[in-house]
Amino acid sequence: MEFSRPRRDFESLGPAETPIQVRGEAPNELLMLRNCHDCAINVVGSCAKVICENLQNVQLVLDAGVLSRSFDIIGCSNCSFTFARVCETIQCDSSQRCVIQLHAEFTASSSCVCAASTGVSVSHPTGGTVNVDNVEQVSVKLVTEGDNEPQLRVRALVRVTDAGYPVPS
């Protein structure tokens, strides 16, 4: 038996000159933002998962109060995603020229996976920046080596040839 979680859809938000507030109202809720463009969106409240699909020129901030465990970025372009709170799983798929700014508490147990994306930048306040380009799938992890400061590193990388075939590396 499949568990059905409550879902709230926000479609075609924007363009707007002031930030648009999207509020999650339940800890097990799914928030779906689809086809939004040319605006800033602040996600507040409580939810289990946020899915952003086909956003264009959007600056999205996941507020510090949001307890979202999972965040999906699908088919977005020219967007920035700022996490004011740690999110356990971030999945970026089929997106272009996006910036993902992780929260400082993002740790080795957290996951940020980018697939079929180009020009995606993943940054951490103390761990630096990793650029993801022309890859089939990549996992970005925060790694501590010896006494050094934690750094973002690419793990489990699969590159794509010019012909579009994956090449393991």
Side-chain angles (χ1 to χ4, degrees):
M1 186 168 119
E2 186 176 317
F3 173 74
S4 169
R5 68 174 68 166
R7 172 177 160 166
R8 296 185 56 229
D9 291 283
F10 299 88
E11 291 214 34
S12 303
L13 300 177
E17 292 183 19
T18 58
I20 299 167
Q21 191 171 83
V22 170
R23 177 173 294 280
E25 296 179 351
N28 64 336
E29 185 174 55
L30 166 67
L31 296 181
M32 177 70 141
L33 289 89
R34 182 182 287 143
N35 301 323
C36 304
H37 61 94
D38 302 305
C39 61
I41 299 173
N42 294 334
V43 178
V44 299
S46 183
C47 62
K49 184 179 184 86
V50 178
I51 299 176
C52 296
E53 185 177 304
N54 195 29
L55 305 187
Q56 295 180 11
N57 302 313
V58 170
Q59 295 178 334
L60 187 141
V61 175
L62 188 71
D63 186 80
V66 178
L67 294 170
S68 178
R69 295 182 301 273
S70 181
F71 195 98
D72 289 359
I73 300 164
I74 305 166
C76 298
S77 63
N78 300 314
C79 295
S80 72
F81 301 91
T82 302
F83 293 86
R85 183 178 186 124
V86 70
C87 192
E88 292 173 19
T89 305
I90 300 166
Q91 175 79 36
C92 178
D93 194 4
S94 303
S95 295
Q96 299 176 352
R97 298 174 305 281
C98 291
V99 175
I100 300 171
Q101 299 172 347
L102 304 171
H103 187 264
E105 292 175 12
F106 182 88
T107 65
S109 63
S110 305
S111 167
C112 180
V113 176
C114 299
S117 297
T118 57
V120 174
S121 169
V122 181
S123 65
H124 184 275
T126 60
T129 301
V130 170
N131 294 314
V132 176
D133 202 13
N134 195 33
V135 294
E136 180 67 22
Q137 182 171 331
V138 64
S139 177
V140 178
K141 291 285 190 181
L142 194 64
V143 177
T144 304
E145 296 172 352
D147 294 333
N148 298 330
E149 290 290 318
Q151 290 292 312
L152 284 180
R153 296 280 188 255
V154 172
R155 298 283 188 225
L157 173 67
V158 179
R159 292 191 183 280
V160 177
T161 66
D162 290 337
Y165 299 107
V167 178
S169 61

